[in-house]
C-alpha cells in the first residue's frame, strides 16, 4: 500500500479563478513546488481531488476540464512532481440538486482513488483550503490539513460537526509539509521558522 497526498486544486495549489478552464490563467502558488518536490522524494503519491460544479452549470464541459487538468499536470511535471491522477465531481453545488457521494465534503472521490491506486489512507493526507476538503479527508480516514489561505480558520469556533475540524492548520505550504514530515516516524522536524521543509 502506498501513501498519498490528496490535493484540492483551486485555492490550494493554483490561484482560485472561479470556474476557470483557461490555460493561461492557471497559475501555481509560489509556495507549492519546493514542498511537493520534497514529499516526492519521500515517496508520496499526489492525487488531485476537486469539485467542478461548472460542468453541471454548463460553464464548461468535461473535455475542457481534462485539458485544463492535463495542463496543470504538465506544469508540475516540469518540476519533477508527478500527478498520479485527478478525480473530480461534476455535479451541482446546490444541495437540492445534488445526491452524489463524490462532491466534497463527501469522501467518495478519495475512497475511489484509494481503491484504484492501492493507497493506505491512514498514512495519507488531504490538503485543502476550505472546510469541505477537511470533511472529505476526515470521512475517508486521512490525516487532514487546512491550508488557510482565505481565513477559513475563523469559521472553526462556529463549526459543531467534528468531521470539519482539521488535524492541523497551516498558513502556507511549507508549514503544511513540515507538519507531514513531523508525523513521518523516520524524519525529524527541526525548522522552527517554517520557511522550508527539512
Amino acid at each position: 500500500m502506498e501513501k498519498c497526498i490528496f490535493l484540492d486544486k483551486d485555492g490550494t495549489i493554483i490561484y482560485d479563478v472561479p470556474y476557470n478552464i483557461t490555460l493561461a490563467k492557471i497559475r501555481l502558488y509560489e509556495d507549492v513546488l519546493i514542498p511537493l518536490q520534497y514529499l516526492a522524494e519521500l515517496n508520496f503519491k499526489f492525487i488531485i481531488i476537486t469539485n467542478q460544479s461548472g460542468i453541471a452549470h454548463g460553464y464548461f464541459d468535461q473535455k475542457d476540464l481534462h485539458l485544463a487538468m492535463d495542463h496543470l499536470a504538465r506544469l508540475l511535471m516540469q518540476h519533477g512532481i508527478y500527478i498520479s491522477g485527478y478525480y473530480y465531481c461534476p455535479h451541482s453545488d446546490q444541495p437540492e440538486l445534488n445526491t452524489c457521494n463524490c462532491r466534497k465534503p463527501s469522501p467518495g472521490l478519495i475512497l475511489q482513488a484509494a481503491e484504484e491506486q492501492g493507497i493506505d489512507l491512514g498514512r495519507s493526507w488531504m490538503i485543502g483550503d476550505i472546510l469541505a476538503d477537511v470533511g472529505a479527508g476526515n470521512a475517508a480516514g486521512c490525516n487532514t490539513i487546512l491550508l488557510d489561505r482565505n481565513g477559513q480558520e475563523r469559521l472553526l469556533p462556529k463549526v459543531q460537526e467534528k468531521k470539519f475540524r482539521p488535524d492541523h492548520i497551516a498558513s502556507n505550504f511549507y508549514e503544511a509539509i513540515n507538519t507531514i514530515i513531523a508525523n513521518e516516524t523516520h524524519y525529524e522536524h527541526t525548522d522552527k521558522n517554517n520557511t522550508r521543509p527539512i
Side-chain angles (χ1 to χ4, degrees):
M1 300 286 280
E2 299 190 71
K3 56 188 180 180
C4 180
I5 307 295
F6 294 104
L7 297 161
D8 172 57
K9 180 171 74 73
D10 304 294
T12 298
I13 57 174
I14 65 172
Y15 284 90
D16 189 4
V17 179
Y19 304 113
N20 178 49
I21 45 82
T22 303
L23 303 190
K25 294 182 179 180
I26 295 175
R27 295 173 50 232
L28 293 166
Y29 279 103
E30 291 78 5
D31 62 350
V32 165
L33 292 176
I34 293 175
L36 291 187
Q37 287 169 344
Y38 191 85
L39 286 182
E41 293 177 2
L42 298 182
N43 298 315
F44 278 95
K45 297 182 73 165
F46 301 110
I47 293 176
I48 294 173
I49 304 290
T50 179
N51 291 340
Q52 294 295 323
S53 62
I55 294 172
H57 292 308
Y59 299 150
F60 51 86
D61 60 25
Q62 296 194 45
K63 179 180 178 182
D64 295 326
L65 179 62
H66 285 297
L67 290 173
M69 296 298 292
D70 289 344
H71 175 72
L72 173 58
R74 286 193 298 272
L75 287 179
L76 293 168
M77 177 66 82
Q78 291 170 5
H79 299 275
I81 301 161
Y82 175 70
I83 300 298
S84 297
Y86 52 84
Y87 293 75
Y88 63 91
C89 172
H91 303 114
S92 175
D93 53 357
Q94 300 177 30
E96 66 274 14
L97 299 177
N98 184 4
T99 59
C100 74
N101 69 346
C102 58
R103 181 175 175 80
K104 295 176 292 184
S106 295
L109 295 178
I110 297 176
L111 296 175
Q112 179 187 351
E115 181 177 356
E116 292 178 355
Q117 302 206 34
I119 292 166
D120 180 351
L121 290 171
R123 288 202 67 197
S124 297
W125 296 75
M126 176 72 210
I127 303 176
D129 68 312
I130 62 174
L131 298 184
D133 301 316
V134 171
N138 284 339
C142 295
N143 303 287
T144 55
I145 296 177
L146 175 64
L147 185 64
D148 194 24
R149 296 197 190 277
N150 55 24
Q152 288 277 294
E153 183 177 4
R154 71 180 185 275
L155 302 176
L156 289 174
K158 301 178 182 179
V159 174
Q160 301 299 318
E161 296 181 76
K162 185 177 180 180
K163 69 178 183 179
F164 290 114
R165 294 191 172 274
D167 295 315
H168 305 276
I169 300 172
S171 62
N172 58 61
F173 240 100
Y174 290 102
E175 288 184 9
I177 267 53
N178 277 329
T179 295
I180 295 171
I181 293 169
N183 281 270
E184 284 283 289
T185 57
H186 299 296
Y187 298 92
E188 293 184 357
H189 174 66
T190 60
D191 182 22
K192 62 182 179 181
N193 295 317
N194 288 315
T195 56
R196 62 182 297 272
I198 46 93

